[in-house]
Amino acid sequence: MLGEFDLIARYFAPLAASAPGAFGLSNDAAVLDPAPGYSVVVTTDAMVAGVHFLPDDPANLVARKLLRVNLSDLAAMGARARAYVLDLALPPNLDEAWVAAFVDGLRADQDEFGITLLGGDTVKTPGALTLALTAFGEVPTGTALTRTGARAGDDIYVSGSIGDGALGLKALRGEIVGLTETARAALADRYHLPRPRLALGQALAARGLATAALDISDGLVADLGHVATGSGLAAEVEAQAVPLSTAARAALTADPGLREVVLGGGDDYELLFAAPPDTVAAIAALAEDVALPLTRIGAMAAGTGVRVLDEAGAPIPLAKAGWSHF
Ligand SMILES: [Mg+2]
């Protein structure tokens, strides 16, 4: 493995070449100027090998997931993405080819999302490979979406489809039987490669449609619980309204017990938001504009907690309400 300065020069400085404020990664810190009238939005996520990704996951996909989970948080706030900084703690057995593939993944997503590396740090660790990324976005001042503004009677919407990431992880572990190869690959892809809903988040903020929003990373029920608690309300979800992909529907048909994985599994990186009932037409227009399904799955109500109702209107007991890190 190359030394720290050679690693930076060969692999990371090229990722920062288009950012004047990065100074070629040769200064003590970077400079980031938000556009006039915008506020900076900051988020960070860490991933540990064996905990947040599988040790043999391809390095380019690990890089893209690390970046995209952060971009998903920017999307949740209604921000557009600008730049990121990166900390790597590398175990001694990691080779240069891993770093090269990791950087390839970052470059692909920098091109896709129009962002740039701004700085970072590389250290050695006696422990597991550990990656931390901090992303910077910007939002017109005063328009950032938050989790806390939902009102009783607001409709609850989710983007895209729910459950694919969690089902993809189970499929990769060989824990789902009877899937076609196409369905298995589709679910695994959603696990490896989140789709941060940046255009949706920015449009929700710009049009003032959402009273509360977040991205679903810990599981639909757990994250909706954050909106309910933050807004001082209860939330009620109709399980059959939760949108499923073709692959997820096939998995659930084969094993109805997987419904709990869909509702509680996490790794969705879809946006969940609350909006007043009189915005139905505006939400439908928004879905068309961002070319993404937006599905009403329930409503906010007075009270506390999250209830998920089955087809008959009976509450579904949820043993595992969502991912908790501790
Ligand atoms: Mg989040």
Side-chain angles (χ1 to χ4, degrees):
M1 178 65 91
L2 296 172
E4 180 183 0
F5 295 108
D6 289 329
L7 265 184
I8 292 169
R10 180 175 302 179
Y11 292 105
F12 294 104
L15 294 177
S18 69
F23 307 112
L25 305 186
S26 64
N27 267 254
D28 296 293
V31 173
L32 178 66
D33 296 313
Y38 281 72
S39 300
V40 174
V41 179
V42 186
T43 183
T44 192
D45 262 296
M47 290 180 16
V48 179
V51 181
H52 304 97
F53 60 96
L54 307 175
D56 57 351
D57 280 345
N60 68 318
L61 291 178
V62 172
R64 298 174 81 185
K65 182 158 187 175
L66 177 66
L67 190 49
R68 287 168 181 232
V69 298
N70 280 281
L71 296 182
S72 183
D73 281 325
L74 293 182
M77 305 294 288
R80 65 189 188 204
R82 286 283 311 274
Y84 66 99
V85 298
L86 181 65
D87 288 326
L88 306 176
L90 309 176
N93 63 345
L94 203 77
D95 60 10
E96 194 181 324
W98 191 94
V99 175
F102 183 81
V103 165
D104 280 345
L106 292 176
R107 185 177 299 109
D109 272 1
Q110 285 195 187
D111 292 346
E112 181 164 346
F113 296 105
I115 55 168
T116 176
L117 181 66
L118 211 51
D121 196 13
T122 310
V123 296
K124 285 254 184 289
T125 175
L129 171 62
T130 301
L131 315 164
L133 192 146
T134 301
F136 301 87
E138 59 188 20
V139 67
T141 298
T143 68
L145 305 170
T146 70
R147 302 173 167 191
T148 54
R151 293 183 291 248
D154 281 354
D155 290 324
I156 301 165
Y157 289 88
V158 293
S159 63
S161 57
I162 301 299
D164 297 321
L167 292 170
L169 176 58
K170 280 187 94 65
L172 285 165
R173 287 175 169 162
E175 294 171 5
I176 303 182
V177 292
L179 278 180
T180 64
E181 182 48 36
T182 308
R184 200 199 68 84
L187 295 173
D189 177 62
R190 285 297 303 268
Y191 170 72
H192 280 135
L193 210 55
R195 274 45 164 203
R197 304 304 190 183
L198 287 153
L200 172 60
Q202 288 162 58
L204 281 171
R207 300 182 191 188
L209 290 172
T211 53
L214 50 58
D215 71 318
I216 306 172
S217 55
D218 294 341
L220 174 64
V221 171
D223 282 318
L224 178 53
H226 297 317
V227 171
T229 304
S231 302
L233 293 171
E236 202 161 86
V237 170
E238 298 148 32
Q240 79 272 20
V242 174
L244 300 178
S245 67
T246 306
R249 199 169 290 284
L252 259 69
T253 302
D255 179 359
L258 290 172
R259 181 167 70 177
E260 204 164 299
V261 175
V262 170
L263 296 172
D267 264 319
D268 294 293
Y269 302 104
E270 296 290 353
L271 295 190
L272 178 151
F273 61 94
D278 64 2
T279 61
V280 165
I283 300 290
L286 171 61
E288 200 137 302
D289 291 346
V290 298
L292 185 64
L294 302 176
T295 307
R296 181 192 178 279
I297 60 167
M300 305 300 298
T304 59
V306 176
R307 280 184 303 280
V308 183
L309 307 179
D310 67 14
E311 299 75 8
I316 299 173
L318 296 164
K320 178 175 173 291
W323 172 258
S324 175
H325 299 270
F326 298 101

